[in-house]
Amino acid sequence: MFKPFHSIALSGEEWVPQIEKVRLASIQDQSFQKQVDHWTTKKFGFRELSVRAYNQVLYSVFNEVTHFIERGRDGYLFEKYYRKSVCGENLISQSELELKLDSMNVLASLLADKGKKLIVLIAPNKYRFYSEKVDLECNPDQTNYGLFKAGFEKADYTVFDFIELFPKMKTEYPLMPRSGTHWSLYGAFMSATMVQDSLVRWGYAGAPLEISAFETDIHPRETDKDLHDLLNVMTFAPAEELAYPKSDYHDEKKPRILVVGDSFYETFYRNGIHSNVYHKESKHLYYNKKMFGQDRSTGQLINQHDVAIELEKSDVVMIVSNEVALGTFGWGFLTDAIDILNE
């Protein structure tokens, strides 16, 4: 179809109904008319521009944002999904907690018997990191993070708790961006350097991860503005000086890593860590549902056979989890891996 004007697609997932083949029955019960009506609301001319203009008025005039985003002080955006974990709204039972912690120790032991390591990365929570920028209005007695943190102190594996580590890190550039929900690409890189130091110490990697050069930009890039993108407004994300490091990593000794992680690990793809620092056969099991290799744009649904192969060939298993996901920590991988290693 000829389009005289190019419109920028709206960000985020959106359901667009399909119009089924017209039938007399569907006309009589009006299901066909409803499908057409729903379809036209998603496909009318200049829709993207209209939506952005409408959202811009709500944002700029009435200080309103979409239902899953919270606007804090000084223009800081927060994804409400991460609020509930800070407020203790998704607390798991003591038995569930003990089962997960015990499973982690069992998995670490089984991997150690095969000369492999288990690493856990707890991603930062923006509500905690920028707590002065938002009113939480909650003070829970317990949270999943607090419970897991106490359990990790007795762990037989290595834990990088970036909820605790980030506030202690003195850096020139933001570790979490104003307009994004994840760690900044710079923050992800700095996190990876800490992991790499351990991999070198254990003998899996040949050299530390160092910044060879970096750019700074007042215009946030990629995931550093993912929340602003989801506002679907007409203006660009607010200016913020952010760093974008580069590494000229050429050491041939690279660990083969099996990562079980959420969207926080995607930044390791974006800044080249997964493809340049880790072995080319390293895999990412996204929420333990879909497996990605070097190419983050293509993946395949996982099965027990694939997981068994990767467990056998990988040097390190790394679980990357945000705070909310602690309630479902590992997304079923712990049980799967233990069963496979016990065969």
Side-chain angles (χ1 to χ4, degrees):
M1 180 184 296
F2 173 68
K3 294 184 178 180
F5 300 100
H6 172 70
S7 59
I8 301 175
L10 298 174
S11 297
E13 295 183 0
E14 185 176 36
W15 175 68
V16 179
Q18 299 298 314
I19 301 177
E20 298 178 0
K21 186 176 179 180
V22 61
R23 292 184 173 85
L24 180 60
S26 63
I27 294 177
Q28 291 176 333
D29 65 14
Q30 297 189 349
S31 60
F32 175 76
Q33 293 92 318
K34 291 179 181 178
Q35 290 174 8
V36 174
D37 181 58
H38 289 163
W39 186 88
T40 54
T41 61
K42 304 291 185 181
K43 291 294 184 179
F44 64 84
F46 300 103
R47 178 176 182 270
E48 292 85 357
L49 179 61
S50 301
V51 170
R52 290 184 185 278
Y54 176 77
N55 289 345
Q56 186 69 58
V57 172
L58 293 179
Y59 182 70
S60 300
V61 179
F62 300 103
N63 198 32
E64 292 185 15
V65 294
T66 186
H67 67 281
F68 56 86
I69 294 177
E70 181 173 1
R71 191 176 187 182
R73 285 181 280 277
D74 302 323
Y76 279 77
L77 299 178
F78 297 82
E79 186 177 355
K80 292 181 180 179
Y81 169 79
Y82 295 99
R83 169 189 276 270
K84 60 184 178 182
S85 59
V86 180
C87 291
E89 296 174 8
N90 61 338
L91 200 66
I92 62 174
S93 67
Q94 185 65 30
S95 60
E96 290 176 303
L97 172 70
E98 292 175 357
L99 178 60
K100 291 185 182 297
L101 292 174
D102 289 345
S103 296
M104 291 293 291
N105 283 326
V106 170
L107 178 57
S109 177
L110 291 171
L111 290 171
D113 290 343
K114 295 179 176 293
K116 306 173 187 294
K117 287 282 188 179
L118 175 63
I119 300 176
V120 173
L121 269 65
I122 304 301
N125 188 330
K126 194 173 181 179
Y127 275 102
R128 294 185 185 275
F129 191 68
Y130 288 125
S131 59
E132 75 281 3
K133 300 295 184 182
V134 66
D135 295 321
L136 280 171
E137 299 178 349
C138 66
N139 186 26
D141 294 329
Q142 289 184 323
T143 64
N144 285 338
Y145 170 66
L147 296 173
F148 271 89
K149 182 177 173 61
F152 286 150
E153 293 176 356
K154 307 171 185 177
D156 297 327
Y157 44 89
T158 300
V159 179
F160 292 92
D161 177 2
F162 290 105
I163 292 177
E164 180 180 50
L165 291 171
F166 264 25
K168 298 177 181 178
M169 295 169 64
K170 305 300 181 182
T171 59
E172 186 176 357
Y173 300 100
L175 296 171
M176 299 199 81
R178 178 185 300 180
S179 301
T181 195
H182 300 90
W183 42 29
S184 65
L185 292 177
Y186 173 74
F189 191 97
M190 298 305 293
S191 303
T193 63
M194 299 177 67
V195 175
Q196 185 74 2
D197 288 344
S198 292
L199 295 173
V200 171
R201 187 170 65 252
W202 296 329
Y204 295 118
L209 176 60
E210 298 176 343
I211 297 176
S212 57
F214 68 84
E215 302 173 352
T216 59
D217 198 340
I218 62 170
H219 303 294
R221 305 175 185 176
E222 301 185 57
T223 52
D224 285 352
K225 58 180 179 66
D226 53 11
L227 286 182
H228 182 87
D229 288 342
L230 290 171
L231 294 177
N232 286 311
V233 293
M234 300 184 73
T235 53
F236 294 113
E240 180 182 21
E241 188 172 20
L242 295 163
Y244 298 94
K246 297 179 180 179
S247 177
D248 187 21
Y249 191 85
H250 290 301
D251 197 279
E252 294 183 0
K253 189 174 185 181
K254 301 178 179 181
R256 179 163 174 169
I257 298 184
L258 176 60
V259 181
V260 184
D262 54 28
S263 56
F264 274 85
Y265 186 75
E266 288 187 53
T267 52
F268 280 51
Y269 278 87
R270 293 178 183 272
N271 55 26
I273 292 169
H274 184 90
S275 57
N276 297 326
V277 181
Y278 301 152
H279 190 278
K280 64 180 181 180
E281 294 298 330
S282 294
K283 299 294 192 299
H284 176 206
L285 305 186
Y286 184 60
Y287 284 101
N288 196 38
K289 291 182 179 179
K290 202 169 185 179
M291 182 167 67
F292 295 90
Q294 289 284 296
D295 187 356
R296 188 63 184 77
S297 64
T298 59
Q300 64 184 55
L301 295 176
I302 67 170
N303 55 57
Q304 289 288 83
H305 178 69
D306 293 332
V307 175
I309 291 175
E310 296 307 321
L311 280 171
E312 179 63 30
K313 295 185 176 181
S314 296
D315 303 307
V316 175
V317 172
M318 183 162 69
I319 301 178
V320 182
S321 176
N322 67 71
E323 182 178 348
V324 180
L326 289 175
T328 54
F329 187 75
W331 307 282
F333 173 80
L334 303 180
T335 302
D336 294 343
I338 289 172
D339 289 344
I340 290 170
L341 293 172
N342 273 326
E343 290 180 354

